[in-house]
Amino acid sequence: MTTGTIVQTEQGPRRIAVWLAIAAGAVMAAGVVALWYVIDQRAHEHAGSSTDHSIHMNELLIRQDAENRLLALDRLAYRSMRTGEPSQEDWEGDATRYLADMPGFVAIHWIDANVQTRWQVAGEQGGDTPFAVAEIAQVRNALERSRDSGARTFSDLFTDAQGNPCIAVIVPVLHHGDFEGVIAGFLHPNEWLESVIGRLQGIEHHVEIFLKDRPVYQHQVADDVADPHQSLSHDFSAGGLDWTVRITPTSSFLSTGHADSSSLVLIFGLLLSALTALAMYFAFAARDRSHQYHDIALQLETLFRNLPGMAYRRNDAPGTPMAFISEGCSALSGYPRSTFSKGDKDWLDLVHPDDRVRVVGGIQNSFGTGDAFEVEYRIINADGDIRWMRERGRAVASEVDHQTHLEGFVTDITGQRVAENEAREHREHLAHVDRLNMLGEMASGIAHEINQPLSAIALLVQASDHLVRTERYTRLSEILDKLSKHAHRASLVIDRVQKMAKRSASSKERVGCEELVRDVARLAEPEAGIRDIEISVETQAGLPDVSVDAVQIQQVVLNLLRNGMEAMQSIGCRNGNTIGLQARLRDDNTVEFAVIDKGCGVAKSSVDKLFAPFSTTKKSGMGMGLSISRAIVTAHGGQLDFRNNRDCGATFYFVLPAAEQREST
């Protein structure tokens, strides 16, 4: 074998080894690059997810605090008029406490209906120059909206005398239904938002908040340059204002993921064959991830502690401890967190016995269907007090233990329930006053209706006395029977008037539609007779019952009838003297009650304000009838509206759900 042959023999395996080494290196390099790419993508996904979470948490806190400030000023307005006219000293004392309890408010004014400041209280940041309310167009516009709608609202952004951006929180002040003005709280958005979301901000993101493209809050991380290409923006509406939240991850937060990826590639490149070193790297990486998750858990715990409510996670096995429950459970129930996490007590044990079946049914339905649920119920806390809760949740499948868990949030709505009850009592009081006013206007017709049977009774008594004196008893039974019928007729009229005049707690019962309509027609017939108008009643056969407060619904129908008769009489009944009262079943299984008059119809100029309080076209009207009627129908789950007829007059109608439909919902 020659030397050339030996060299060629050695070069063959060497080439193979080189190519195998190159191939192995290429495969390893490809694996390393692929692994680096996956980790890099996950780092970007984590940054995007964290940024999106931060956006929505900022939105949630802004929405909730905006509503809390509206409710707080609403309570101040209610306290101001609860016992009549308050003294300036009492009002300023209350307003000063509200300023101290709610950071961001720089002043609170009581503004009367003429847009003049009646009383005012300024905080430490309010400055010495008072707000010239009449000269601020944004505040005037918000006041007019509140006055017209009776609703709480925010003004658009404006600049105060010191050059600071400012917002006014407007809450109407009503006394016995009369508009007395508004309570206006003036906010500096930057101080307000700092008190609401300042503690949420960390070193991971730059935060900017805008109102209608105007910056009102900024959180910048020191010694960091924001990359605008990484920014995420989100628009939402809260308090009637258009907000924009812009979140930009910091360069240090973004570089963390890339640093991990580069370290991983470096370790793979330098210690390709060192499996022990590789295992140690993964151990250290796992420890770092654990620290990150621990930090995130602490942030979430802080967030849950600051939220007004309780977050929880539980499985579907009854009697087992909560997998997670936030510290808010103590404020809601009076029991410490450990009571639920150790299984000493289940949250469902606190639910009021009358509500427990309904609550458990909603939870089980969510486990079965995976749909979200929302339920309101009562609990009995550790002190024995009853509190109202609203719970929202959804069944979620876990990828860790492959079980289904229920995750949700519980908030205390006792204050909201109290406010709703107070509003309902106020509405019922206004309805009672309106009924008494109608009965007063109908007094002459009612007196005429009662006088007829009473006159007949007097004549029949005289006739009976004459028959007894002459000992002619044959017709006495007939006369006594007539006496009974006329007495019953008078009794029915008085009974109908008593029901309308009596004020009692609102209670719903199943009532037949035909009976409801005909009772109202009988009550309105005396006044219709005086006006020389005939009431035509039409009810569809087989109408379902409705679940209503019969007196309140009769009040609505009677108000519509009287309005229609007045409209017809205003034009001398030239289109006819018959007003229609109908009840029919609609395709959506709701019952429609309609009053069809032959008057002059509703003018276009009156349409927008037709159902507004204190809006009337009558010379002596208060303008509350249609407003109260709509509130009554809405409280019964229905709608009140109108349409002009093609030939003449107008049709006012309202729809109510059938009793079966209402019970099923």
Side-chain angles (χ1 to χ4, degrees), residues 24-42 257-258 260-270 272:
V27 171
M28 184 62 67
V32 170
V33 170
L35 183 60
W36 172 85
Y37 177 78
V38 170
I39 295 176
D40 185 68
Q41 287 297 111
R42 290 188 176 179
H258 295 287
D260 290 344
S261 305
S262 302
S263 299
L264 185 62
V265 173
L266 181 61
I267 292 173
F268 263 95
L270 297 177
L272 191 59

Side-chain angles (χ1 to χ4, degrees), residues 68-339:
N68 288 343
R69 289 175 184 264
L70 286 171
L71 290 175
L73 289 188
D74 200 22
R75 289 193 295 270
L76 178 58
Y78 173 74
R79 285 170 59 87
S80 299
M81 301 305 297
R82 180 178 57 185
T83 58
E85 184 71 13
S87 67
Q88 181 176 359
E89 181 181 357
D90 291 341
W91 185 87
E92 290 180 348
D94 288 340
T96 300
R97 286 190 290 273
Y98 275 77
L99 281 175
D101 292 342
M102 293 182 292
F105 272 127
V106 297
I108 295 179
H109 288 208
W110 184 341
I111 305 171
D112 63 22
N114 297 318
V115 199
Q116 299 297 320
T117 297
R118 183 178 183 183
W119 296 328
Q120 63 182 12
V121 173
E124 295 180 358
Q125 299 177 348
D128 297 330
T129 304
F131 287 90
V133 175
E135 300 175 5
I136 304 174
Q138 294 87 341
V139 178
R140 292 201 312 272
N141 294 337
L143 188 147
E144 291 173 359
R145 290 198 305 272
S146 180
R147 178 190 60 200
D148 294 340
S149 64
R152 305 163 301 188
T153 187
F154 279 71
S155 75
D156 291 331
L157 189 67
F158 62 92
T159 303
D160 64 12
Q162 288 77 32
N164 299 315
C166 196
I167 304 171
V169 185
I170 304 296
V171 174
V173 179
L174 302 176
H175 184 55
H176 297 301
D178 295 330
F179 179 77
E180 298 289 343
V182 300
I183 300 296
F186 294 90
L187 282 169
H188 282 169
N190 187 68
E191 288 79 3
W192 169 36
L193 295 174
E194 179 64 31
S195 70
V196 175
I197 63 176
R199 290 176 295 179
L200 180 66
Q201 316 309 334
I203 62 173
E204 295 87 0
H205 299 94
H206 304 281
V207 181
E208 297 174 280
I209 297 179
F210 302 83
L211 269 175
K212 290 188 175 180
D213 300 326
R214 182 174 173 182
V216 294
Y217 176 79
Q218 188 176 49
H219 170 77
Q220 291 288 342
V221 179
D223 301 327
D224 189 273
V225 179
D227 183 2
H229 298 291
Q230 300 291 336
S231 297
L232 288 180
S233 296
H234 175 64
D235 299 328
F236 66 95
S237 178
L241 300 176
D242 297 328
W243 298 80
T244 299
V245 178
R246 181 185 296 163
I247 305 292
T248 306
T250 61
S251 57
S252 59
F253 179 65
L254 290 174
S255 64
T256 301
H258 295 287
D260 290 344
S261 305
S262 302
S263 299
L264 185 62
V265 173
L266 181 61
I267 292 173
F268 263 95
L270 297 177
L271 305 175
L272 191 59
S273 60
L275 297 180
T276 303
L278 187 60
M280 290 179 62
Y281 166 77
F282 279 117
F284 282 117
R287 187 187 65 177
D288 292 339
R289 292 284 185 266
S290 176
H291 289 167
Q292 291 180 6
Y293 293 147
H294 180 67
D295 292 341
I296 293 174
L298 289 178
Q299 292 178 5
L300 288 175
E301 184 177 355
T302 301
L303 175 62
F304 286 140
R305 187 181 296 115
N306 293 331
L307 286 176
M310 175 190 83
Y312 69 87
R313 190 186 200 208
R314 64 181 305 157
N315 57 32
D316 58 350
T320 57
M322 289 279 196
F324 168 78
I325 187 168
S326 67
E327 290 287 352
C329 65
S330 179
L332 296 182
S333 67
Y335 292 100
R337 179 181 181 181
S338 58
T339 301

Side-chain angles (χ1 to χ4, degrees), residues 309-311 322 325-352 356 378-387 389 412:
M310 175 190 83
M322 289 279 196
I325 187 168
S326 67
E327 290 287 352
C329 65
S330 179
L332 296 182
S333 67
Y335 292 100
R337 179 181 181 181
S338 58
T339 301
F340 302 101
S341 60
K342 293 179 180 179
D344 297 337
K345 185 176 286 291
D346 192 275
W347 180 260
L348 292 175
D349 296 338
L350 308 183
V351 178
H352 195 283
R356 191 169 298 156
R378 295 162 293 175
I379 68 167
I380 302 175
N381 64 14
D383 297 329
D385 298 329
I386 295 179
R387 309 289 295 177
M389 302 288 137
D412 190 329

